[in-house]
Amino acid sequence: MPKVSEKYLENRKNEIAKAAINVFAKKGYSNASMKDIIKEANVSRGGLYAHFENIDAVFIAALKYDDALQVNRLSISDPKVSLLLQLNAWIDKAVLSVQNKKVNLVRAKSEFFLSHDIEEVPYLRERHDQLSKNIQRLVKIGIEKGEFKKQIDVNSFAELLISMIDGVMLHQHYQYTSNPNLSAVLNHMHKAIENILI
């Protein structure tokens, strides 16, 4: 039997995780099964279980894959553009991603996060801490550059912003309101953030 390289195995695992995103976006976490993943990833049962022992392991891999794409969005892309505008653009992309039903993990994330303890799944805290650090870093740079107020509690601001984004995304996904005006919600969010930072 020929030996398979580590790179090949890692690529195959990522392909399965990417395919699993489609399943979790469609069915949520609670209704997805290993059989669904096998079908979507076009992999044998043995091929799937060679990489993942259960649906939780697949979800964590899909979450990590999705997070790797999201992390790249919160960066200072243009030093000539104000940090507030860049932060607002990142918020808009994050919130508006809920409209892409094919790869939207909002429902699956909420189901998974509510059904698992942070102690059981350390990655949940890691991903939150990483996002918080990225937001804090951007705000600290804004303070150093004189764009933002000096007396901002960057940790509390990061936690508030994450909660606001999560709340708006959940609200939009589950469509609790009969007349969702996402533009108006985002405008109010931008004004609140501006009042805190400037």
Side-chain angles (χ1 to χ4, degrees), residues 19-20 22-24 26-43 48 55 58:
N22 298 331
V23 172
F24 292 122
K26 196 182 319 171
K27 294 192 159 201
Y29 165 75
S30 301
N31 295 322
S33 69
M34 292 296 264
K35 189 175 180 179
D36 296 325
I37 307 295
I38 289 167
K39 184 177 179 183
E40 184 72 27
N42 195 23
V43 65
L48 179 62
I55 197 77
V58 178

Side-chain angles (χ1 to χ4, degrees), residues 115-193:
S115 65
H116 290 76
D117 187 272
I118 201 93
E119 303 305 320
E120 295 171 351
V121 189
Y123 181 67
L124 299 182
R125 177 163 285 133
E126 290 170 28
R127 69 187 297 275
H128 177 85
D129 289 348
Q130 185 59 52
L131 178 56
S132 181
K133 284 176 187 172
N134 288 341
I135 294 168
Q136 290 178 48
R137 181 182 56 79
L138 186 136
V139 173
K140 286 175 185 176
I141 291 169
I143 292 169
E144 289 168 10
K145 290 176 74 175
E147 288 187 39
F148 300 152
K149 295 184 256 190
K150 289 185 178 178
Q151 64 273 20
I152 297 166
D153 177 345
V154 294
N155 183 49
S156 295
F157 174 77
E159 294 303 314
L160 173 66
L161 183 57
I162 292 168
S163 297
M164 287 170 67
I165 292 169
D166 285 350
V168 171
M169 289 176 76
L170 277 169
H171 191 270
Q172 289 301 311
H173 176 77
Y174 288 110
Q175 298 178 350
Y176 292 122
T177 179
S178 59
N179 185 19
N181 186 346
L182 193 50
S183 299
V185 171
L186 285 170
N187 284 337
H188 284 296
M189 207 167 154
H190 294 323
K191 286 177 186 170
I193 290 164

Side-chain angles (χ1 to χ4, degrees), residues 26-28 31 104-112 173-174:
K26 196 182 319 171
K27 294 192 159 201
N31 295 322
N104 176 344
L105 291 179
V106 170
R107 173 184 167 198
K109 286 177 185 177
S110 66
E111 291 170 354
F112 186 85
H173 176 77
Y174 288 110

